[in-house]
Amino acid sequence: MLSPGEIDTLHVIVPSQNNRSVNPLVLQWASSDQSVVRVSLAGVVTAAGPGKTTLTVSGLLQSKSIEVAVHQVVDKLSVRPRLSPEVQVPLTATVKFEAQALTADNTPVPEAPLRWNVADPSIAGFDAQTGLLTGRAVGKTQLTVRGPGSGLAVTWSISVIAGSVKFERPRVGIGLNQRHTLRPSYADDQGAIIGPATGLTWSSDNPQVATVGEDGTVVGVGYGHARITANAPGGKTAAADVYVVGEIVVSSSRGGKFQLYAAERANLAQLAKITTDTANATDPAFSADGSRIAYVSTSPGNAEIYVMNADGTGATRLTTDPLADGRPAFTPDGQTILFHSARTAGKQQIWSVNVDGTSLTQVTRDSISFAPAVSPDGQTVAYVSMRNKNYDIWLMSRDGSNQRQFTPTPQVKESEPRFLRDGTLAYLVERREGNRTVQQVVRADLVTGSVTPLTGIDLALTSFAVSPSGDLVALVVNAQPENRRNPIYKVYIQPVGSGTPVPMPTVGTEQMVTPAFRP
């Protein structure tokens, strides 16, 4: 098959003589219809016009012939998709391209040869057999189809875009002046990660709360919520929720009822109210990404577990039981909350519930167990057990298996376990020294069991919180230890290893309890 005006050359060989070429000038060439094809003395074939003919070559006492066809003159190409400023192809996805050769009166010429070419095969690949173009890398290139004849070509501008943009962490909580770099990835249409997303533009819907730089680095400017959007080439977008909250969250009664407030270590007197609960809100616990706070509310008439965004919005009740629930703690993935509840025959046990309120599960069933804390890797739960008739720290796997005692000290009361970022465990120790009872926060290595004091023994401690890095403790102190019926609780802030405990300023009869640190 030849195109009108196309030139080709026939060659004659002798197979029995190792494919020796025969000089075309010693042969005789003929065309049965020279209006279709002409052939020269050297075997050069010229397509003259549409039709079919037979070419014959004779010599060396032999004769051979081949059929030659010349298709109709192609005047134009019909293509799909239609020409547009740009054809967008999702990364790893395919788009089908079609081209058809037509005569001047729009008669199809299916036998006319078409040639396809991609300007940059690293951006997109094309299969001429199937007509499928596949996006290989985010960028721009061109796809061209050429028909027979001079100037007969169509070119599409191709833009390979991300199938979607996904954030590794679509929610994050940060502090004032704290920086956090969001890390988006390109994903295919099924959501599978392809690779790091590049070439993005960024925006914040609330720059008074959080700003974002060209590399996706977010800076906390003011308390609240901001939605950070990453725009990929081709219009694909992804958004991340950023919550800016104070480093230390406490429950304070300054409004008459206990509510959650946030403060910075540099300005303990400046409290920012987080909750607007109708009753009391206590026991705050951050998720590992800092974007959520679980807490206990008595607004239903008894203590129940709630979860909310770190700015106080979106409060959702997770538990419903006539008996009290308390002391929530997130698992590192942020999907599950452990807490203690007396719903089992009035005896406190450890339970778990998903952040959407589903899959309520009892974890412990022995004696009395309470105050759970989850290790940073999510594999170990520390809690207080009274199975040996004493307050001791026990460890177990997340599902409640492999329960073992960590503090076998019958003369000492251990409580309030708290994991630090490095996997060590802090807890409160109460013991007798001489003729008095003292409380002290210590830090223990789970592997070696070695214990290091974090505080002195001169304050009447009832609870505490420790910063994730372990450099700061927030101490709940009974300011009037002699007044057992009506204790006055204050929160003191103290650097670990040095410094004097500094009370968070209170007003009038205000009390503070249950401190927590932002991750």
Side-chain angles (χ1 to χ4, degrees):
M1 177 65 67
L2 297 176
S3 300
E6 185 177 358
I7 296 175
D8 204 346
T9 301
L10 290 175
H11 300 275
V12 176
I13 61 172
V14 183
S16 61
Q17 297 180 4
N18 199 26
N19 293 330
R20 177 177 65 85
S21 296
V22 179
N23 185 347
L25 297 178
V26 303
L27 304 171
Q28 293 78 49
W29 304 83
S31 169
S32 63
D33 189 342
Q34 296 204 31
S35 66
V36 176
V37 169
R38 299 188 300 272
V39 61
S40 72
L41 296 177
V44 176
V45 178
T46 302
K52 294 183 179 180
T53 187
T54 301
L55 292 181
T56 303
V57 57
S58 303
L60 305 177
L61 304 178
Q62 297 183 59
S63 180
K64 296 288 184 179
S65 63
I66 62 171
E67 298 298 321
V68 178
V70 178
H71 63 71
Q72 298 183 70
V73 175
V74 176
D75 182 72
K76 52 192 171 183
L77 297 176
S78 173
V79 298
R80 291 182 181 179
R82 294 181 179 274
L83 282 179
S84 61
E86 191 173 73
V87 177
Q88 294 184 349
V89 183
L91 192 64
T92 75
T94 58
V95 173
K96 188 172 181 60
F97 287 80
E98 297 176 339
Q100 186 179 42
L102 302 174
T103 64
D105 61 359
N106 293 326
T107 300
V109 187
E111 61 272 24
L114 302 177
R115 292 170 293 161
W116 298 83
N117 178 69
V118 175
D120 188 346
S122 67
I123 300 296
F126 184 77
D127 186 340
Q129 298 296 321
T130 62
L132 295 178
L133 182 137
T134 304
R136 291 178 174 171
V138 173
K140 297 181 182 293
T141 186
Q142 291 181 323
L143 173 67
T144 299
V145 59
R146 289 184 171 83
S150 176
L152 199 59
V154 173
T155 298
W156 291 270
S157 295
I158 305 296
S159 177
V160 178
I161 62 174
S164 62
V165 181
K166 293 179 67 175
F167 282 110
E168 177 184 358
R169 292 171 59 182
R171 298 171 57 94
V172 65
I174 61 176
L176 290 176
N177 302 314
Q178 185 179 353
R179 304 170 70 87
H180 175 82
T181 300
L182 296 170
R183 303 192 183 282
S185 299
Y186 285 132
D188 61 20
D189 291 340
Q190 286 71 46
I193 299 300
I194 299 169
T198 57
L200 304 177
T201 57
W202 298 83
S203 62
S204 169
D205 72 344
N206 196 351
Q208 288 76 32
V209 171
T211 61
V212 61
E214 295 180 356
D215 63 347
T217 297
V218 179
V219 180
V221 178
Y223 292 145
H225 167 253
R227 196 164 179 82
I228 306 298
T229 301
N231 300 276
K236 297 292 183 177
T237 64
D241 291 300
V242 175
Y243 298 90
V244 181
V245 66
E247 179 187 12
I248 307 165
V249 174
V250 297
S251 180
S252 167
S253 65
R254 68 171 43 189
K257 295 179 179 180
F258 280 97
Q259 295 294 312
L260 301 184
Y261 295 79
E264 305 293 336
R265 67 172 71 188
N267 189 359
L268 297 175
Q270 187 67 40
L271 295 186
K273 191 175 182 181
I274 299 177
T275 55
T276 55
D277 202 277
T278 57
N280 291 315
T282 58
D283 285 5
F286 278 94
S287 59
D289 61 13
S291 72
R292 288 186 173 97
I293 297 176
Y295 64 103
V296 175
S297 171
T298 59
S299 58
N302 61 297
E304 301 287 359
I305 305 299
Y306 281 68
V307 67
M308 64 181 177
N309 296 321
D311 65 344
T313 61
T316 303
R317 182 178 176 180
L318 300 187
T319 63
T320 303
D321 194 88
L323 295 178
D325 299 329
R327 187 61 184 279
F330 277 93
T331 56
D333 59 12
Q335 300 304 307
T336 305
I337 293 173
L338 272 67
F339 63 98
H340 64 224
S341 175
R343 64 184 65 197
T344 306
K347 296 171 63 177
Q348 283 188 331
Q349 298 293 337
I350 309 299
W351 292 70
S352 69
V353 65
N354 290 342
V355 292
D356 60 1
T358 61
S359 299
L360 179 67
T361 305
Q362 186 174 350
V363 180
T364 63
R365 300 177 183 274
D366 184 77
S367 182
I368 296 176
S369 303
F370 57 98
V374 188
S375 62
D377 63 5
Q379 301 302 309
T380 304
V381 176
Y383 63 104
V384 181
S385 174
M386 298 188 65
R387 69 186 70 186
N388 292 330
K389 311 302 180 183
N390 186 48
Y391 287 76
D392 294 308
I393 305 297
W394 282 63
L395 304 175
M396 64 180 174
S397 299
R398 182 167 159 177
D399 62 358
S401 63
N402 191 26
Q403 296 182 13
R404 66 267 191 202
Q405 189 172 3
F406 182 68
T407 58
T409 49
Q411 303 303 319
V412 178
K413 177 181 177 180
E414 294 100 355
S415 62
E416 301 289 312
R418 303 276 196 275
F419 276 101
L420 278 67
R421 186 182 295 146
D422 62 3
T424 57
L425 182 68
Y427 53 91
L428 181 63
V429 174
E430 181 176 307
R431 64 182 183 270
R432 293 289 296 179
E433 284 199 359
N435 60 354
R436 68 181 184 132
T437 299
V438 299
Q439 295 85 23
Q440 185 177 38
V441 178
V442 300
R443 178 179 185 173
D445 187 291
L446 294 190
V447 177
T448 65
S450 62
V451 176
T452 304
L454 295 182
T455 68
I457 58 174
D458 53 342
L459 294 176
L461 306 180
T462 62
S463 183
F464 75 99
V466 60
S467 63
S469 62
D471 69 324
L472 203 67
V473 288
L475 308 172
V476 181
V477 176
N478 183 357
Q480 297 180 5
E482 69 283 356
N483 185 356
R484 296 186 177 182
R485 289 190 175 183
N486 297 295
I488 304 298
Y489 292 114
K490 306 289 184 180
V491 171
Y492 285 70
I493 305 300
Q494 178 183 0
V496 171
S498 64
T500 302
V502 177
M504 296 185 69
T506 55
V507 178
T509 60
E510 176 185 6
Q511 297 191 60
M512 291 184 181
V513 294
T514 61
F517 282 89
R518 186 190 67 244

